Amino acid sequence: MGVSRTVLAVVAILLVLATSIAYQHEQIPTLVEVAVKLRLWRGTVYGSGSLEDITLRLARDTRATFDNVTLVPTDEYNYTSNVHWRLLIVANESASGNVEWEHEVLPSVGKVGVYAGVVSTLLDLKGTYTVWVVLYSIHDSSILNVSSFSERIHTY
Amino acid sequence: MKSESEVVAWVLENRRETETIEVKRSIELINAPGGPDKIEESLVAIANSALGQNGWLIFGIDNDSFELVGMLDLKMKNVVSRETRTIRRQQFSQIASRTKPSVSFQWNELTYQDKELVVVRIDGRRPGEFFQTSKGSPWYRINDHTYFADKIQIRRWLEEPELEEQSTSPVSTALTIYVILCLVAIPWGALWVLDPSQVVRNGVPITLGLGFLIALVAHLKQWKTENMAEWCREKFPILLLATASIVPGAVMLQLSLRLYPALSGLYFETHLRDAPLVSLYALLGIIAGGVVLNLPRMSLTQARQNIASWIPDHTKLLKRAALAYFLVALATTSIIPFDNFLVLGTPRIGLVESRYVSDGVIHISETGYGELEAYAVNQQIVHVLLPLVPLVSRVWYPFASNSTRECKVMRMSGMSASLDKDQAGRLEGLWLFVDKTTVSTIAFVAVSYYSELNVSSVATINFHKAKLLQSFDNGSQQIQQTFEISNISPYALHIGPIYLFQSTSQFEVAKNVTSGSADISYAQEGHWLYLNSDLERHGGMVVTVTYNRPAGL
């Protein structure tokens, strides 16, 4: 019993459709990864730092947060400190409100010195936003805004 | 005699049959008792007698009186219906196929003097060949009589020399032109639609390849030009329907392409937009080709008749064609709402980052005496999703810059870019070229460009009235001038150089600057005092300059 040409044609059309839909779902990124390169200075009672570079890219990764901020060995001191930092990312969108993400940068080493590394996260942004990246240093109850960055983004 | 009408006219005028023309009064003879054998005998006899030419079997002319009777039954009372005629044609095909070898024929229905006729064109034998009935009888005709060919006659046929090379018939000339045009047009048209830059590079090899393929098929099928012409004639309606189904699809595709920039953020340079026109040309070409192929052997009346008889016989095919039209139109229409297919072959924008005042500073400088301008450096990073199969490699991304200052591509990955400027030199778009060797599915390009700003929107500048302090004997004057500048923008301001006053090198400056710096300098050339300043956000300055204006200024 042979397969009719109509069946073959329908199967071919369905295959093309399925391939394109599968490609879209599997390959087209739907998330925005915000990677922030940090350079931080940690004193005994005071912390500072800067946002060295902000990189946005489309991503499909499932990894939510990445943090490899560590002490720069050549810039370490023998004092200890409990200063740490907070990285805040806010995406403002007038129509549907804000998307907020915040992350405590608390290196495992409690030394005074210079720290550097990258913190990244994935945000589900669809539309037009103003993205703010703000870096705070925190010591006890005092919070200090040490660096910030903003840009306008549009996702399709 | 080349056409059916001419043959019928000749028979009616001369009222006799010939070696190659036989008439039958009714098509129902095909189905009458003993009829199929008689028809087979006639077919073989005509084909054997028509050496290197066509023979004719006409149904609808009385073989005694040679009067036109039309499509009547054996009793000459009732008209044979169209459905019955179709059945008789099928029976006739079966009869022709059982001869040894099979006799080739063409069944033509035509109206002549208001009577319907069936005129069967029979391909005559070639030298050295002959036909037999299924029972092995090699009939042939002498004048209007049919005879059984004896051994001597058969030997005579077998020993016949090859015919001299026939002059090229209009049909074969038309076919050759038609095939050559198709051969050249199809790959070149397809390449032009997909990627015009490939036309010259790949058009010739593809054309030669297709030509070789057709030659090979013709050789394997032992096609001669006439056979090919016949094949083209037979397949003409199918080819017409198939091509016609492309036209609505191409129109819908064009609609999709018009909406695609809204979905993808990109315009791409493609001749896919010309697909409707190309498909229309193809359709017209096929129609013209069909007309050229059929014209030498068909009158307009006959063509009308053929079309009228073809349609009822091919309702199933027409239904399938209609279904194909629907599916093609549906598939191409679905691109619009679902954006399903183009993303597989064309890039699209995924993310656009706009970094206004990317260096954090707005610049104010002087364009002419007393005329200031403000501008800022911006950065835009365009992230592009690359397709699975990059059919389109060059896309255009719209850009809007109001400045003629030099802009540049800062960095890129997975693609290259060139700036597209308007006549005034303002950036109005980016041409993006997909790097086909890239393995990543995401590419980006970062562009740095300028924006012209309104000076009053970033700073308040106020010059107080100048005071004349002293006039000297040599004509020079000592003048005091105070001015205030405040930064009202959310960014830092870099001001200068701004040429203030012409002076000697003796001058005094009293300044009160908050959140920034301000310097008044002297330029030897032109004797100008000029200002350079950097003001932080909310910064400002009040500057008083006391200077000597030389005489004659």
Side-chain angles (χ1 to χ4, degrees), chain B residues 69-140:
Chain B
V69 291
M71 286 292 101
L72 297 177
D73 61 8
L74 289 170
K75 294 177 181 173
M76 297 287 115
K77 284 183 180 173
N78 301 316
V79 175
V80 179
S81 68
R82 194 166 291 281
E83 290 75 22
T84 308
R85 269 184 253 170
T86 306
I87 295 166
R88 299 294 169 259
R89 190 177 68 187
Q90 289 162 354
Q91 288 174 313
F92 189 89
S93 296
Q94 288 167 352
I95 293 167
S97 65
R98 71 190 194 198
T99 61
K100 297 179 218 171
S102 297
V103 173
S104 297
F105 72 94
Q106 188 183 1
W107 181 278
N108 300 298
E109 293 186 22
L110 76 156
T111 303
Y112 193 90
Q113 293 176 0
D114 297 333
K115 300 275 189 189
E116 289 182 301
L117 295 169
V118 169
V119 180
V120 183
R121 180 199 289 253
I122 298 161
D123 288 351
R125 69 181 178 86
R126 298 186 66 80
E129 298 171 353
F130 68 97
F131 293 95
Q132 301 172 74
T133 63
S134 52
K135 292 171 184 165
S137 306
W139 299 100
Y140 73 108

Side-chain angles (χ1 to χ4, degrees), chain A residues 5-68:
Chain A
R5 276 181 291 183
T6 315
V7 173
L8 279 175
V10 170
V11 168
I13 290 168
L14 287 178
L15 271 178
V16 171
L17 271 173
T19 308
S20 72
I21 291 168
Y23 176 76
Q24 286 194 65
H25 281 271
E26 291 303 314
Q27 295 297 320
I28 293 183
T30 52
L31 301 171
V32 176
E33 184 190 75
V34 185
V36 184
K37 191 176 173 189
L38 297 167
R39 188 160 184 91
L40 309 167
W41 181 79
R42 191 184 216 182
T44 49
V45 293
Y46 172 78
S48 183
S50 64
L51 303 167
E52 287 222 312
D53 191 24
I54 315 285
T55 311
L56 269 68
R57 73 177 186 97
L58 291 159
R60 281 198 64 85
D61 304 351
T62 51
R63 183 189 65 204
T65 300
F66 173 80
D67 179 347
N68 70 351

